[in-house]
């Protein structure tokens, strides 16, 4: 499974259809990816998506897409979301949950999901649990990517993001082949507004304040899998695949044909 599934349904909400060719799985993976900003969750989500067939669903991507809507067409709620984001603050739970409810079809998808950036608070986690319980669905596992703070700050400050496909690059560690141009789609690269130093500081403070209760919540539910995120992305991904297969061995077909060390 090497295709990246189109995520129009997720990014644009209930008015749009899933553009992907998503295979139905009898036992899809439903994973949550936790970890501070800059730990590499986006990259890991893409690698896991290729291996497991589940869509990478990021709430941050939904909010960033809203940024391209012309100012005069933004609703007051949308405008306030963008302001929370610009300040590096969390968007209030009620707004985030409204966004999720408009995209429930993605959570019900037969291909499963990889949630990145949601839930961010225990209230969001409880609401997600209720939404899944209501349809008899359950989470497979929650992967918690861990890395030292100083390394994270260095990573974020050099990060460049593609304006078209969202791929991440880094000025030092993962340079694009042509300066300012995305290797994957040719889109132009930019520094995310929330990757600027003043936003990064606020995001890290917010993360540290809200993450621990969330981590404890999923540990209590027996779903938490810690993964050391400091290493080559392919190795981190292999470790995660091995760990989730051990955690949830009933998932048929999850393990790559030659064991978890699938070339990515
Ligand atoms: P991310 O790309 O996940 O780091 O998200 C970027 C920004 O979007 C965050 O700094 C928040 O302002 C907002 N955001 C994304 N997901 C959530 C969420 N689940 N709850 C609150 N705010 C969110």
């Amino acid at each position: 499974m090497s295709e990246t599934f189109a995520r129009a349904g997720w990014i644009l909400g209930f008015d749009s259809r899933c553009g992907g060719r998503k295979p139905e799985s009898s036992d899809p993976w439903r994973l949550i990816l936790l970890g501070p900003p800059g730990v590499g969750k986006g990259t890991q989500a893409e690698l896991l998506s290729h291996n497991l067939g589940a869509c990478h669903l990021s709430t941050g991507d939904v909010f960033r897409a809203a940024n391209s809507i012309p100012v005069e067409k933004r609703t007051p709620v949308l405008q306030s979301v963008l302001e929370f984001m610009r300040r590096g603050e969390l968007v209030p739970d009620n707004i985030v949950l409204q966004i999720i409810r408009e995209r429930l079809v993605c959570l019900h998808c037969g291909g499963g999901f990889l949630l990145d950036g949601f839930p961010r608070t225990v209230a969001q986690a409880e609401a997600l649990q209720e939404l899944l319980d209501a349809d008899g669905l359950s989470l497979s596992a929650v992967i918690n990517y861990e890395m030292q703070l100083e390394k994270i700050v260095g990573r974020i400050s050099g990060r460049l993001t593609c304006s078209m496909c969202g791929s991440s690059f880094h000025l030092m560690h993962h340079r694009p082949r042509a300066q300012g141009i995305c290797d994957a789609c040719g889109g132009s690269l930019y520094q995310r507004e929330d990757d600027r130093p003043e936003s990064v500081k606020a995001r890290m403070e917010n993360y540290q304040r809200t993450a621990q209760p969330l981590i404890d919540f999923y540990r209590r539910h027996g779903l938490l899998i810690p993964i050391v995120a400091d290493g080559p992305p392919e190795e981190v991904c292999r470790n995660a695949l091995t760990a989730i297969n051990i955690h949830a061995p009933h998932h048929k077909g999850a393990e790559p044909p030659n064991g978890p060390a699938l070339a990515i």
Side-chain angles (χ1 to χ4, degrees), residues 156-168:
I156 295 186
S157 49
R159 185 159 71 178
L160 297 171
T161 302
C162 175
S163 54
M164 278 166 62
C165 73
S167 295
S168 277

Side-chain angles (χ1 to χ4, degrees), residues 44 48 143 225-230 232-246 260:
Q44 289 304 315
L48 287 173
I143 301 178
I225 300 180
I227 293 289
V228 175
D230 190 5
E234 293 75 11
E235 186 185 310
V236 175
C237 180
R238 270 194 297 273
N239 292 341
L241 287 171
T242 304
I244 60 173
N245 277 295
I246 291 170

Side-chain angles (χ1 to χ4, degrees), residues 180-200:
I181 306 288
C182 174
D183 290 356
C185 75
S188 56
L189 302 178
Y190 72 108
Q191 183 175 45
R192 277 166 41 176
E193 210 153 350
D194 55 345
D195 280 350
R196 298 196 174 138
E198 54 288 2
S199 298
V200 169

Side-chain angles (χ1 to χ4, degrees), residues 142-191:
V142 176
I143 301 178
N144 185 31
Y145 293 103
E146 299 176 339
M147 189 184 279
Q148 284 174 339
L149 188 62
E150 312 86 79
K151 290 200 175 154
I152 290 172
V153 172
R155 278 189 171 202
I156 295 186
S157 49
R159 185 159 71 178
L160 297 171
T161 302
C162 175
S163 54
M164 278 166 62
C165 73
S167 295
S168 277
F169 297 85
H170 194 278
L171 285 170
M172 303 291 290
H173 314 303
H174 178 30
R175 290 195 193 153
R177 284 193 291 271
Q179 194 184 342
I181 306 288
C182 174
D183 290 356
C185 75
S188 56
L189 302 178
Y190 72 108
Q191 183 175 45

Side-chain angles (χ1 to χ4, degrees), residues 59-60 63-64 85 89-91 96 117-118 120 124 192 194 203:
T59 36
F63 295 144
R64 275 183 288 280
M85 232 178 125
E89 294 172 16
L90 287 186
V91 176
V96 176
F118 174 84
R120 280 281 227 288
Q124 291 180 16
R192 277 166 41 176
D194 55 345
R203 283 166 75 199

